[in-house]
Amino acid sequence: MRGRGRDLSLREQRLIDGFIRDICGALHISAENGEVYQCAWAAFLSVYRSDPEAFSGSESQGWRRAYLSVRNALLQARRDNNFWRCGRTSLDRPVNGEVETPRIELLPAPHGDFQNSVCLHDYLRRLERDACRMAYCLINGDTVEEARVYYHWSGDHTNSTYLSLRAEIERYLSI
């Protein structure tokens, strides 16, 4: 059984780091991506630990093997990272041949339009008290029946409040 080899010196670590960064630059891969960078280090160390003596002397076969190993590992990492793009349609393309609108324009804004929300909540607060309460119950996912039970309303009062709220929301949407 082979014992653990010696640790790499700081100078050797810098040399290997430069070696890996040069390969990344040649392949147009960012060395700042920690996952890819660690993959390259692992590939180098697997070659180095298998035969550390091959990295010294005039032949330096270890460096050639390490270059190929690191290069292959980086290319595989790039393929793995770009895999999610396969089979995706660009959002800049039109919806179809008849509709020229790009797909991106049909997507809602990621955070929504806050002005509509502010206006709606302001409008709701100005409604009659029970209509406002019912509106917030419905916004929170409750049903009309759950609002009735929660506020101890009669069936008739609940229905009239719901109809009043519905009329007010239709009025709000027409504004």
Side-chain angles (χ1 to χ4, degrees), residues 84-103:
W84 64 271
R85 294 183 186 168
C86 296
R88 304 288 182 185
T89 303
S90 172
L91 293 176
D92 294 329
R93 293 183 60 201
V95 174
N96 60 31
E98 297 174 7
V99 179
E100 296 296 322
T101 306
R103 296 167 189 242

Side-chain angles (χ1 to χ4, degrees), residues 48-121:
Y48 180 79
R49 288 189 177 135
S50 68
D51 189 12
E53 288 81 28
F55 286 84
S56 60
S58 60
E59 293 294 315
S60 298
Q61 290 295 321
W63 288 105
R64 288 188 187 104
R65 282 191 10 245
Y67 172 80
L68 291 174
S69 179
V70 168
R71 182 178 179 277
N72 290 339
L74 288 172
L75 290 173
Q76 182 63 43
R78 181 167 59 188
R79 280 191 299 272
D80 292 346
N81 287 340
N82 291 336
F83 178 75
W84 64 271
R85 294 183 186 168
C86 296
R88 304 288 182 185
T89 303
S90 172
L91 293 176
D92 294 329
R93 293 183 60 201
V95 174
N96 60 31
E98 297 174 7
V99 179
E100 296 296 322
T101 306
R103 296 167 189 242
I104 190 106
E105 290 182 18
L106 300 176
L107 293 176
H111 301 294
D113 184 5
F114 74 92
Q115 289 179 330
N116 288 337
S117 176
V118 170
C119 292
L120 175 65
H121 287 284

